[in-house]
């Protein structure tokens, strides 16, 4: 496929974007270099609430328990997770609320594997309704929650972790707990976002929040988490770890069996690999991280995470969380080097666009998936040259129908292939055409402006379109 910068972009047919007031982006003006910094851990272990971007704070105690009380690690025996959690929710919606909604992602993987035993609102036991096979919990309020008011939800539940090769479940490498904590459903455009999970993409729309989490698990399990550990202690064969992080959209944990940690630094960013692989496998992932991450940091700025964890996983592909990437085992093998370069550089790009810069990945997946795809191919160009990059991209999008939407909510796609054609295919083709029109330096300057302006914040489609697709 050839690229004509004067050719029309793929059509947008069913998701109009309201433009922002016209604004000129001067691509030649240097951006500030100190706008994005490594965030020190807060001195107060309890997260705060009430800010514009983090109206919710979660404090949780997570106890990971093997179903049969034996002293060694045996994934086949099964595990359950006991969670005691406090959710402090400030009503920053601008509307009065008579009901609240909580998401239980584990039930999207295995219906009713997560069962609530207690739920209270502001100290009073509360009635709740389980919807969508337990994915969604509706909590009617006895008193109206006015705009600006805060309420506290206490919730206690047990999760029987299913066997699953993905972001959540028991697999040969350990216990993957992506999205383990109950989270407030998203509230957007005057209403709760209640659509059910799909079999593709990110399952729900979650808004950023502050997390304070205590994890108790067998001391023989290595732990990677998408928050910063600030304290730990040993307790009768268990390790109790304390984590906290402000302003992240999701919290994930990976508890790894028979793994070791390999730590290194890239452009000031600490990276930790969790694997049981050989040196050649470690070196492959390490070298891709060193190349892609240094390229992204040079272009966009540092990440706001104390460390970035990359965990070997038995899933088919990869999955990103703030400060944590789950990466399929096959991408550690040297014979899959070319695939690994594209996949891992894509997930590393998500640490900038999708994690640090927050996107509604349920309704606006074309933004972060398109940007991550573009960045991965720019990294491949840096490695192997323009011709190699173009050939690889042509192969990637060779079966993509150029006529169709690129922007739609996940539940509006009829299948995984429709979703992938839109957010990986047409969205990235649109950005590639923009690359041809502007040139690499000018487009990268615009991506850097997104990162500097929106790191730790949410970017809307209108804001994204204004910066990337407005010409002088």
């Amino acid at each position: 496929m050839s690229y004509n910068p004067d050719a029309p972009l793929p059509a947008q047919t069913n998701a109009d974007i309201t433009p922002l007031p016209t604004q000129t982006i001067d691509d030649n003006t240097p951006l500030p270099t100190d706008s994005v910094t490594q965030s020190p851990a807060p001195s107060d272990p309890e997260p705060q609430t009430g800010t514009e971007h983090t109206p919710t704070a979660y404090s949780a105690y997570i106890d990971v328990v093997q179903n049969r009380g034996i002293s060694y690690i045996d994934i086949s025996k099964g595990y359950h997770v006991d969670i005691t959690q406090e959710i402090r929710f400030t009503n920053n919606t601008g509307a009065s609320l008579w009901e609240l909604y909580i998401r239980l992602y584990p039930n999207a993987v295995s219906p009713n594997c997560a069962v609530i035993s207690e739920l209270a609102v502001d100290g009073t036991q509360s009635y709740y309704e389980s919807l969508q096979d337990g994915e969604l919990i509706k909590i009617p309020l006895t008193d109206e929650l006015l705009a600006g008011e805060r309420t506290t939800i206490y919730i206690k539940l047990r999760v029987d972790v299913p066997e699953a090769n993905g972001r959540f479940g028991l697999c040969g490498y350990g216990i993957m707990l992506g999205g383990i904590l109950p989270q407030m459903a998203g509230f957007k455009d005057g209403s709760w976002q209640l659509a059910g999970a799909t079999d593709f993409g990110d399952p729900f729309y979650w808004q950023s929040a502050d997390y304070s989490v205590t994890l108790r698990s067998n001391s023989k399990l290595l732990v990677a988490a998408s928050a910063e550990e600030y304290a730990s202690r040993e307790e009768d064969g268990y390790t109790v770890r304390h984590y906290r992080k402000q302003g992240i959209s999701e919290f994930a944990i990976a508890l790894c069996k028979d793994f070791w940690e390999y730590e290194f630094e890239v452009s000031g960013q600490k990276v930790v690999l969790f694997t049981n692989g050989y040196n050649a496998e470690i070196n492959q992932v390490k070298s891709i991280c060193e190349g892609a991450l240094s390229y992204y940091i040079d272009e966009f700025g540092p990440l706001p995470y104390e460390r970035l964890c990359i965990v070997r996983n038995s899933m088919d592909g990869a999955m990103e969380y703030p400060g944590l990437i789950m990466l399929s085992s096959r991408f550690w093998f040297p014979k899959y080097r070319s695939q690994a370069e594209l996949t891992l550089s894509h997930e590393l790009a998500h640490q900038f666009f999708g994690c640090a810069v927050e996107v509604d990945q349920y309704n606006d997946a074309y933004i972060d998936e398109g940007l991550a795809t573009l960045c991965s191919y720019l990294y491949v160009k840096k490695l192997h040259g323009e011709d190699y990059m173009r050939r690889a991209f042509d192969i990637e999008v060779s079966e993509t129908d150029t006529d169709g939407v690129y922007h739609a909510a996940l539940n509006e796609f009829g299948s995984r292939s429709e979703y992938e054609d839109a957010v990986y295919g047409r969205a990235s083709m649109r950005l590639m055409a923009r690359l041809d029109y502007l040139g690499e330096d000018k487009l990268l300057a615009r991506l850097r402006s997104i990162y500097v302006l929106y790191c730790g914040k949410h970017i809307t489609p209108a804001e994204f379109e204004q910066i990337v697709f407005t010409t002088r």
Side-chain angles (χ1 to χ4, degrees):
M1 180 183 299
S2 60
Y3 292 88
N4 179 359
D6 298 321
L9 297 173
Q12 172 65 328
T13 61
N14 70 351
D16 293 334
I17 295 171
T18 303
L20 293 174
T22 302
Q23 174 182 343
T24 298
I25 305 295
D26 185 352
D27 296 303
N28 298 315
T29 301
L31 291 157
T33 58
D34 58 353
S35 298
V36 182
T37 58
Q38 291 288 132
S39 301
S43 57
D44 182 358
E46 292 300 317
Q48 303 301 308
T49 60
T51 64
E52 178 182 359
H53 300 289
T54 55
T56 308
Y58 300 102
S59 294
Y61 184 90
I62 303 174
D63 193 10
V64 180
V65 182
Q66 191 161 292
N67 287 345
R68 299 182 186 178
I70 53 181
S71 60
Y72 60 91
I73 304 299
D74 186 352
I75 299 299
S76 68
K77 301 300 182 185
Y79 277 78
H80 65 266
V81 178
D82 291 324
I83 300 173
T84 303
Q85 179 167 318
E86 183 180 87
I87 303 173
R88 296 185 295 284
F89 173 72
T90 301
N91 181 9
N92 284 7
T93 66
S96 296
L97 301 176
W98 281 100
E99 56 197 25
L100 304 175
Y101 290 89
I102 292 176
R103 292 286 189 188
L104 296 182
Y105 172 65
N107 285 337
V109 178
S110 179
N112 299 309
C113 73
V115 178
I116 295 173
S117 58
E118 295 181 41
L119 192 147
V121 177
D122 293 329
T124 302
Q125 186 174 349
S126 175
Y127 164 81
Y128 64 90
E129 185 177 354
S130 180
L131 307 172
Q132 300 173 5
D133 290 326
E135 290 179 19
L136 186 66
I137 301 300
K138 176 182 178 180
I139 308 172
L141 299 177
T142 56
D143 296 310
E144 183 179 17
L145 185 66
L146 300 175
E149 291 185 338
R150 190 169 96 171
T151 191
T152 300
I153 304 166
Y154 171 85
I155 186 169
K156 187 173 182 179
L157 69 158
R158 169 166 291 190
V159 182
D160 288 316
V161 184
E163 292 185 14
N165 292 321
R167 68 184 83 179
F168 180 84
L170 302 175
C171 67
Y173 294 125
I175 309 163
M176 304 297 151
L177 300 179
I180 180 63
L181 291 177
Q183 291 181 272
M184 297 297 298
F187 192 96
K188 184 178 180 181
D189 299 329
S191 63
W192 291 100
Q193 303 293 291
L194 304 179
T198 61
D199 293 331
F200 45 83
D202 290 292
F204 304 119
Y205 168 46
W206 285 317
Q207 294 171 304
S208 63
D210 301 336
Y211 287 85
S212 178
V213 177
T214 298
L215 171 71
R216 179 179 179 267
S217 61
N218 192 299
S219 296
K220 296 177 182 178
L221 291 168
L222 282 183
V223 178
S226 55
E228 296 157 10
E229 181 181 326
Y230 66 90
S232 66
R233 69 179 187 275
E234 297 301 313
E235 186 180 90
D236 298 327
Y238 288 83
T239 301
V240 179
R241 297 175 173 88
H242 301 275
Y243 300 94
R244 61 187 170 201
K245 186 65 178 176
Q246 293 181 317
I248 56 175
S249 56
E250 293 185 72
F251 184 83
I253 306 169
L255 300 103
C256 308
K257 176 181 180 288
D258 300 328
F259 272 24
W260 51 79
E261 299 179 29
Y262 184 90
E263 183 177 312
F264 56 99
E265 191 171 292
V266 180
S267 299
Q269 174 65 55
K270 184 189 297 184
V271 181
V272 186
L273 308 184
F274 291 77
T275 182
N276 59 357
Y278 296 105
N279 286 341
E281 297 165 20
I282 293 172
N283 289 336
Q284 169 158 297
V285 174
K286 178 176 181 285
S287 66
I288 296 171
C289 283
E290 289 174 333
L293 197 54
S294 62
Y295 173 59
Y296 297 152
I297 290 173
D298 287 347
E299 293 293 345
F300 308 131
L303 286 168
Y305 309 121
E306 181 181 77
R307 69 177 192 167
L308 173 60
C309 301
I310 301 177
V311 181
R312 190 174 192 137
N313 189 290
S314 57
M315 67 198 324
D316 289 335
M319 180 62 201
E320 81 284 350
Y321 295 94
L324 189 151
I325 294 170
M326 297 179 184
L327 183 67
S328 171
S329 181
R330 78 172 184 272
F331 297 126
W332 298 71
F333 296 138
K335 70 177 181 178
Y336 296 109
R337 173 80 191 202
S338 60
Q339 295 177 31
E341 286 174 349
L342 279 170
T343 300
L344 182 51
S345 63
H346 179 102
E347 300 306 323
L348 289 166
H350 271 312
Q351 295 300 313
F352 296 83
F353 303 111
C355 292
V357 175
E358 296 166 12
V359 175
D360 178 350
Q361 296 171 313
Y362 191 94
N363 295 293
D364 308 322
Y366 86 100
I367 297 177
D368 66 299
E369 295 299 349
L371 286 175
T373 301
L374 173 69
C375 289
S376 67
Y377 279 97
L378 289 176
Y379 167 63
V380 166
K381 176 186 174 183
K382 182 178 176 67
L383 278 183
H384 303 296
E386 175 87 18
D387 289 344
Y388 180 98
M389 181 272 280
R390 293 291 182 175
R391 289 197 304 271
F393 186 73
D394 286 352
I395 292 171
E396 177 75 18
V397 300
S398 61
E399 297 183 4
T400 299
D401 181 2
T402 58
D403 295 323
V405 302
Y406 56 84
H407 182 197
L410 265 62
N411 62 344
E412 295 174 6
F413 294 111
S415 66
R416 177 183 293 274
S417 62
E418 286 185 16
Y419 160 77
E420 292 178 348
D421 276 356
V423 305
Y424 297 105
R426 288 185 288 272
S428 59
M429 292 166 67
R430 187 169 178 258
L431 285 166
M432 194 68 76
R434 196 62 174 158
L435 171 69
D436 292 338
Y437 181 82
L438 288 175
E440 186 172 337
D441 289 344
K442 287 186 176 181
L443 182 57
L444 282 171
R446 295 185 180 210
L447 300 191
R448 177 168 172 78
S449 71
I450 289 175
Y451 189 68
V452 170
L453 293 170
Y454 291 95
C455 183
K457 300 177 183 178
H458 179 90
I459 189 168
T460 67
E463 292 163 339
F464 170 74
E465 295 291 319
Q466 182 70 42
I467 292 174
V468 176
F469 289 96
T470 297
T471 57
R472 290 180 300 208

